[in-house]
Amino acid sequence: MPDTANSTDQFVRRELQLERFLPYLVNNLADRISTGLSRIYADEYGLSIPEWRVIANLAEHGVLNAKRIVITTGMEKSKVSRAVKSLTDRSLIFQRRTENDNRARDLALTGTGEALYGELVPRALAWELQLLECLSTGEYRDLMHLLGKLREQAGRI
Amino acid sequence: MPDTANSTDQFVRRELQLERFLPYLVNNLADRISTGLSRIYADEYGLSIPEWRVIANLAEHGVLNAKRIVITTGMEKSKVSRAVKSLTDRSLIFQRRTENDNRARDLALTGTGEALYGELVPRALAWELQLLECLSTGEYRDLMHLLGKLREQAGRI
DNA sequence: ACAAATTAGTTGCATAATGAACTATCTCTG
DNA sequence: CAGAGATAGTTCATTATGCAACTAATTTGT
């Protein structure tokens, strides 16, 4: 319960400063980051954010169905559905029957998909590193910690 | 230059973990925050994010023209233009001639706009405070500091 | 002073995001 | 085992976005 946020001492401030308003700051940062990173995966590889996320999840966790991707990423299921369709059409992932359930399908990267992922990862990490260059090791640790806490709290509200 | 990011010791990691990938984390958090806050300004007041931002800027800085809002918020000028049109149509802001420049127009909140803002602010701040409840005063200070640094760096890249 | 370049803001268009409604399959309960 | 409800995934209709092209007004350089 920070008293320095938009509050003074123990009294909540009645004014709002956009430059100190967390939702604004986080949104703004997310925007800049998306725009920057999209120069890699969108411009050079023709991937949308949802597509990239589906690929990253499959690369990281192996075989998954769409529902699981929805749960772990928090994306809309329609978003995932479209991404899956598009990636399948481009043969970056493939689908196969799930045992005991004909509604769902198992998804996995194809060879091409894995190759693309293998190309993309170092570039994405390099970009992230460039961004993180402005932080010390300690600051980075703090950041991860804070983001984790906020994410959890935002999920609760 | 943190060595704990997606790197180990001084060597950059070759794998990517989405859960530790800053762009993913920030985007995800921004998403959750937007969704939560929009329950206030969208559902209850019928405002879009751009509209809300225009209002907040005018409330904070008084008379502004669209260009200035574009600069200070980093929004697309078409986004601002549309928000301004919609807010004018709803009589939440008004436009008047700018002295010495017939291209631009000065924008300001109407009484209704100010009233709406006055209603909205306490609720927005209350929501922010709920989110910040998970942080100590020190953590909040750190967060603001880190977000500032990252924002600047993201602008450079 | 006047053509060229800038600037403020708008609009058109193609693409993307969103949420609700829908299909098909599966599970649970009596 | 039938029917109600839940679940996986798709699609439709509406709205939002981003970019570039455009208008109109202003500034600059010569």
Side-chain angles (χ1 to χ4, degrees):
Chain A
M1 220 194 296
D3 52 45
T4 42
N6 272 290
S7 59
T8 49
D9 301 316
Q10 62 267 55
F11 302 106
V12 174
R13 274 227 203 115
R14 326 214 88 261
E15 323 92 53
L16 178 141
Q17 290 176 261
L18 224 40
E19 282 301 319
R20 297 179 167 277
F21 189 51
L22 192 59
Y24 173 74
L25 292 174
V26 173
N27 243 292
N28 221 256
L29 180 59
D31 239 44
R32 289 184 187 211
I33 289 178
S34 287
T35 304
L37 244 196
S38 80
R39 275 196 288 275
I40 299 176
Y41 58 67
D43 292 5
E44 299 187 32
Y45 294 90
L47 295 177
S48 67
I49 297 188
E51 286 165 3
W52 151 251
R53 282 192 188 168
V54 167
I55 288 182
N57 266 273
L58 291 176
E60 207 174 319
H61 302 114
V63 176
L64 296 172
N65 61 26
K67 176 64 179 179
R68 198 135 288 291
I69 296 175
V70 166
I71 291 171
T72 65
T73 63
M75 287 194 280
E76 284 282 318
K77 62 182 183 170
S78 59
K79 235 183 208 173
V80 173
S81 173
R82 283 175 222 275
V84 164
K85 182 174 187 342
S86 150
L87 292 172
T88 305
D89 289 350
R90 292 164 64 189
S91 299
L92 295 170
I93 68 175
F94 67 95
Q95 312 185 8
R96 68 161 183 246
R97 199 180 162 285
T98 296
E99 207 169 356
N100 299 330
D101 195 337
N102 285 320
R103 295 169 304 178
R105 265 147 299 145
D106 288 339
L107 307 172
L109 291 182
T110 60
T112 319
E114 269 172 15
L116 184 148
Y117 180 75
E119 256 189 77
L120 234 158
V121 164
R123 309 196 53 182
L125 291 177
W127 194 93
E128 184 197 31
L129 212 55
Q130 251 191 300
L131 178 61
L132 290 172
E133 248 158 28
C134 67
L135 303 184
S136 71
T137 305
E139 285 175 329
Y140 173 75
R141 198 179 2 80
D142 291 349
L143 179 65
M144 286 297 134
H145 176 241
L146 293 171
L147 289 180
K149 274 191 158 188
L150 285 172
R151 174 154 61 157
E152 221 190 302
Q153 180 75 352
R156 267 196 290 272
I157 304 182
Chain B
M1 217 194 298
D3 53 45
T4 42
N6 274 289
S7 60
T8 50
D9 300 314
Q10 62 266 60
F11 302 106
V12 174
R13 274 226 203 118
R14 327 214 90 262
E15 323 94 51
L16 178 141
Q17 290 176 261
L18 224 40
E19 283 301 318
R20 296 179 167 279
F21 189 51
L22 192 59
Y24 173 75
L25 292 175
V26 173
N27 243 293
N28 221 256
L29 180 59
D31 241 44
R32 289 184 187 212
I33 289 178
S34 287
T35 304
L37 244 197
S38 79
R39 274 195 289 274
I40 298 175
Y41 57 67
D43 292 5
E44 299 188 32
Y45 294 91
L47 295 177
S48 67
I49 296 188
E51 286 165 2
W52 151 250
R53 282 193 189 168
V54 167
I55 288 182
N57 266 274
L58 291 176
E60 207 173 319
H61 303 114
V63 176
L64 296 172
N65 60 27
K67 177 64 179 177
R68 198 134 289 290
I69 295 175
V70 166
I71 291 169
T72 65
T73 63
M75 289 194 278
E76 283 283 317
K77 62 181 182 169
S78 59
K79 232 186 209 173
V80 173
S81 173
R82 286 185 236 262
V84 164
K85 183 175 187 341
S86 150
L87 292 172
T88 305
D89 289 349
R90 292 165 64 188
S91 298
L92 294 170
I93 69 175
F94 68 95
Q95 312 186 10
R96 68 160 182 245
R97 203 181 158 282
T98 296
E99 207 168 356
N100 299 329
D101 196 336
N102 285 320
R103 296 169 303 180
R105 264 148 299 145
D106 289 338
L107 307 172
L109 291 182
T110 59
T112 319
E114 270 173 15
L116 185 148
Y117 180 74
E119 257 189 76
L120 234 159
V121 164
R123 307 195 54 180
L125 291 177
W127 193 92
E128 185 197 29
L129 211 56
Q130 251 190 298
L131 178 61
L132 289 172
E133 248 158 27
C134 66
L135 303 184
S136 72
T137 305
E139 285 176 330
Y140 173 74
R141 199 178 0 79
D142 292 349
L143 178 65
M144 286 298 133
H145 176 242
L146 294 170
L147 289 180
K149 276 192 158 188
L150 286 172
R151 197 212 322 216
E152 221 189 304
Q153 180 76 351
R156 268 196 289 273
I157 305 182

